[in-house]
Amino acid sequence: MKEARSLWVEAPRDAALRVASLATPGPEEALVRTLWSAVSRGTERLVFEGRAPRSEWERMRAPFQEGAFSFPVKYGYCAVGRVEEGPAELLGRDVFCLHPHQDFFVAPVAMLRPIPQETPARRAPLAANMETALNGLWDSGAGPGDRIVVIGAGVLGLLVTALAARLPGAEVLIHDREDSRAQIAESLGARFVGADALEGRGADVVFHATASSEGLALALAAAGLEATIVELSWYGEGQVSAPLGGGFHANRLRLVSSQVGQVAPSRRPRWSYARRLDKALELLADPRLDALITEEIPFADAPRELPRVLAPGASGLATLFRY
């Protein structure tokens, strides 16, 4: 039997590598050697800090999760690897899988999505975020020519920006407290602006992705008459205040939650999860998106580095484990 090392959160803000034996792949399974996996600064931070709401434990379970959110738990969902054993058509292929951080794993073939040749394996771990961005754009109803505002230039906000800027004639404005994100945002086709430039902007669609009450207030202030505000943030057990007085009702604003666990209603009759993930991997062919990856960490160093990567207020965009 082959042995595999996996990353476990043993207790709040305490991680370790565990070694376990892998079963021999069955006829509909494959053995994958991991190349890269990405750390989610949103959901994984909540899990790492022990702030996953008990009411959401079942819905938050990752497909290959082991353990529970009461700890210890093996969690993660952004793995890219190469098939070493399995069906002939997949041997040697790079694939994406919603698998926790682990150097080798066995998974059903149906859970492995081949990565297009145009998308480098190093960029492919962003597929889970790209799926969320694509779903959010569908939920928003944004279209050609719209004035679109994005609050929060993290990985998700920047991926939404990249997609929105492709809409013909769209005017995309993005704001973040980190001015260092301006160059990346503008390379994706958006205009990086200060908060004062957004109040009363009259946007057709606003995306909020800062997981803060201040960001949500700015999103509401930027929205125009009967506009839609798409809430992409995940707050976990936290409470957030929302200024729903003022012009919220008079302007007939729509505050919409968007979450990747379901395909957006406008696409659900025709789009499967697999089709959406395949499209996300295809959209990652854009070489400009390499700028979203700001750190690589050897997997052996993951337990030591994870507290720093997921510390409150930690800077940086996407962090990858290199195997």
Side-chain angles (χ1 to χ4, degrees), residues 33-160:
R33 175 172 60 87
T34 310
L35 301 173
W36 307 92
S37 65
V39 179
S40 163
R41 292 182 186 271
T43 306
E44 280 195 69
R45 175 179 281 142
L46 294 175
V47 172
F48 188 59
E49 294 177 347
R51 295 195 293 120
R54 183 177 291 272
S55 64
E56 302 302 305
W57 281 6
E58 283 306 310
R59 279 191 284 256
M60 285 180 61
R61 286 192 67 86
F64 297 95
Q65 174 182 326
E66 293 183 41
F69 296 118
S70 52
F71 300 110
V73 62
K74 181 175 78 173
Y75 196 75
Y77 47 83
C78 307
V80 169
R82 187 161 295 158
V83 176
E84 294 201 337
E85 296 179 31
E89 65 272 17
L90 282 180
L91 280 177
R93 290 288 305 272
D94 291 344
V95 295
F96 178 91
C97 187
L98 297 166
H99 199 283
H101 309 288
Q102 186 166 310
D103 58 0
F104 289 89
F105 61 88
V106 173
V109 170
M111 295 291 289
L112 305 177
R113 306 311 303 172
I115 297 170
Q117 288 187 345
E118 297 78 12
T119 300
R122 180 178 179 271
R123 202 182 303 144
L126 299 178
N129 288 115
M130 181 60 92
E131 266 199 289
T132 305
L134 181 59
N135 217 49
L137 195 66
W138 287 342
D139 279 328
S140 76
D146 277 347
R147 177 175 294 152
I148 299 168
V149 168
V150 180
I151 310 295
V155 173
L156 181 54
L158 288 168
L159 289 174
V160 169

Side-chain angles (χ1 to χ4, degrees), residues 207-219:
F207 294 93
H208 176 234
T210 73
S212 69
S213 56
E214 295 83 6
L216 180 54
L218 183 57

Side-chain angles (χ1 to χ4, degrees), residues 170-183:
E171 176 191 359
V172 183
L173 308 176
I174 186 168
H175 168 74
D176 195 278
R177 290 182 297 182
E178 292 276 348
D179 291 340
S180 59
R181 310 277 168 87
Q183 185 175 353

Side-chain angles (χ1 to χ4, degrees), residues 37-39 41 292-297 309 317-321:
S37 65
V39 179
R41 292 182 186 271
L292 275 62
I293 300 170
T294 54
E295 184 176 26
E296 295 177 15
I297 296 172
V309 171
L317 293 170
T319 294
L320 301 185
F321 291 136

